[in-house]
Amino acid sequence: MESLAMLAREGWQLCRQHFGPEIYFSYPTQTQAVSVTGSHCELNCAHCSGYYLKGMKPLQALKEGAVKAGSLLISGGCTKEGRVPVADYIDQIQKLKHNRRYNIHVGLVDDADIEKIAAVADKVSFDFIGDSSTIREVLGLDRTVEEYAACYKRLKESCQVVPHICIGLHGGEIRGEYQAIKLLQELGATAVTFIVFTPTKGTPLANCKPPSLQEVIAVLVAARKAFTAIPLQLGCMRPGGRYRQELDLWAVRSGINGIVNPVPAAVRMAGQLGLNSKRREECCVL
C-alpha cells in the first residue's frame, strides 16, 4: 500500500488542479440539531444504539418563535424499516421554517415521504452504504446496497442530496466504502461528506477500533480520484483525541475541501500550505 505521504500528495495535487486555494472550516454553532423521535430509535444500530440522539433537541420541545438558530439539522431515530420518520412531523417542521435553512437527514424513505420532505428541505443528508452485509449486521436491516442506491436516486430527483459515507462502519473494517464511491460516481453525486466510525460506549461495537489513518486517507484519495471537481467534506462524526489530531492534519494535506470542527493544528497547517481558510457557522452540508 502507498505511504500516507504519497497518498496525501496525490489527493492534494488533484484537488489543486480543480479548486482554488480555499479550505472551509465549519463550526456549526448556528445550526440546531433536532430529533423528531427524541432519544428513541427502533432500529438501535450496533454502532450507535441511539446514543447520539441524546445530544439533539427533541422536536416536541421546540416552540414557534423561540428557536434562535439560523438553521436546523433535522434527524431522528429510525423505524425498524430504516426510515427516519421526518415526514410524519412535516406540519410542525414547516411552522418552524420561516427563513431558516433545513438540512434533513433521512433514511430509506418512500416516494410519499420524499414529496413532503422536498417541500421544506434546503439540503438532504443520506447515509449511503456500499456493502449489504454491513446493512444487515450493523444496521440490522434486511435491505441491500441496490435499495440504498435506488432511494438516493429518487431523492436526487426532488432534493439537493449530500450522501454521507461512514468509513469503517463495519466495526472499523473497510467494507463497501469503495463500492459506495463507485456507485455515487455513476449516480452523479454533486458533493460527498465522509465521517469515520467512532467506537461508542454502551454499544455492541464499543470495543472495536476505528479504521487506521492509512485506510481513511486511502478512501478519501480514492474519492478525490472519482470526484475530481466536487467538494468533499470531513464531517463532525469522527474519533477524538490523538486520532483526530492526526486525521485532520492528513485530511488537509490530502486536499479535502472542508472539515467540521477541525483541530487548531489543522487550521494552522492550512495556512502554512498556502490555503485561505473560510469559516462557516452552520452545518457543513448547508
Side-chain angles (χ1 to χ4, degrees):
M1 182 180 282
E2 291 181 83
S3 70
L4 264 171
M6 289 176 64
L7 281 168
R9 190 178 306 115
E10 189 173 10
W12 173 271
Q13 290 172 347
L14 279 169
C15 184
R16 299 284 72 83
Q17 288 171 18
H18 296 274
F19 293 92
E22 291 87 28
I23 187 168
Y24 292 88
F25 294 125
S26 298
Y27 304 86
T29 56
Q30 297 304 310
T31 300
Q32 173 70 61
V34 176
S35 170
V36 297
T37 63
S39 60
H40 179 68
C41 179
E42 290 183 2
L43 200 54
N44 218 29
C45 302
H47 67 297
C48 171
S49 299
Y51 176 86
Y52 295 99
L53 295 173
K54 297 173 185 176
M56 297 181 179
K57 190 84 169 177
L59 177 66
Q60 303 306 325
L62 294 180
K63 294 183 179 179
E64 191 175 353
V67 182
K68 304 300 183 185
S71 59
L72 300 182
L73 162 60
I74 302 174
S75 185
C78 287
T79 66
K80 291 180 180 178
E81 296 74 36
R83 167 183 175 262
V84 180
V86 173
D88 297 354
Y89 302 89
I90 211 71
D91 290 342
Q92 187 174 349
I93 290 168
Q94 180 70 68
K95 288 178 183 177
L96 294 169
K97 178 76 172 174
H98 301 293
N99 293 319
R100 290 186 187 88
R101 296 200 296 165
Y102 283 174
N103 170 23
I104 298 185
H105 175 222
V106 303
L108 290 171
V109 286
D110 59 21
D111 290 343
D113 280 1
I114 292 171
E115 183 177 356
K116 293 178 181 178
I117 290 165
V120 298
D122 295 276
K123 295 288 182 71
V124 168
S125 291
F126 180 74
D127 297 326
F128 198 97
I129 303 173
D131 176 63
S132 293
S133 67
T134 300
I135 297 168
R136 290 193 306 271
E137 296 170 26
V138 178
L139 273 61
L141 278 174
D142 187 20
R143 307 297 284 268
T144 65
V145 171
E146 290 73 22
E147 288 176 277
Y148 271 80
C151 184
Y152 170 76
K153 187 176 180 181
R154 293 197 307 274
L155 276 165
K156 194 169 177 287
E157 291 171 355
S158 304
C159 309
Q160 293 187 51
V161 190
V162 180
H164 287 49
I165 297 175
C166 182
I167 303 174
L169 178 59
H170 203 118
E173 296 180 23
I174 301 299
R175 287 199 199 182
E177 287 82 348
Y178 293 101
Q179 176 67 2
I181 290 169
K182 180 176 180 292
L183 287 170
L184 287 172
Q185 183 184 30
E186 293 171 357
L187 292 166
T190 55
V192 183
T193 292
F194 289 88
I195 55 178
V196 181
F197 166 72
T198 304
T200 301
K201 186 177 180 180
T203 69
L205 301 182
N207 295 323
C208 296
K209 295 184 181 300
S212 70
L213 292 173
Q214 179 103 6
E215 290 173 317
V216 173
I217 297 303
V219 170
L220 293 181
V221 173
R224 176 55 71 208
K225 290 179 182 178
F227 305 112
T228 54
I230 72 169
L232 305 178
Q233 303 266 1
L234 185 59
C236 52
M237 296 295 296
R238 58 192 193 279
R242 183 177 176 182
Y243 185 100
R244 192 183 191 109
Q245 290 281 339
E246 295 186 20
L247 172 58
D248 287 11
L249 292 172
W250 282 112
V252 171
R253 291 185 187 125
S254 301
I256 202 81
N257 297 102
I259 303 177
V260 181
N261 291 326
V263 298
V267 179
R268 292 194 296 271
M269 171 170 281
Q272 292 164 1
L273 292 173
L275 297 176
N276 299 320
S277 297
K278 304 291 185 180
R279 184 183 176 97
R280 291 173 170 169
E281 304 290 340
E282 295 184 297
C283 169
C284 69
V285 167
L286 294 169

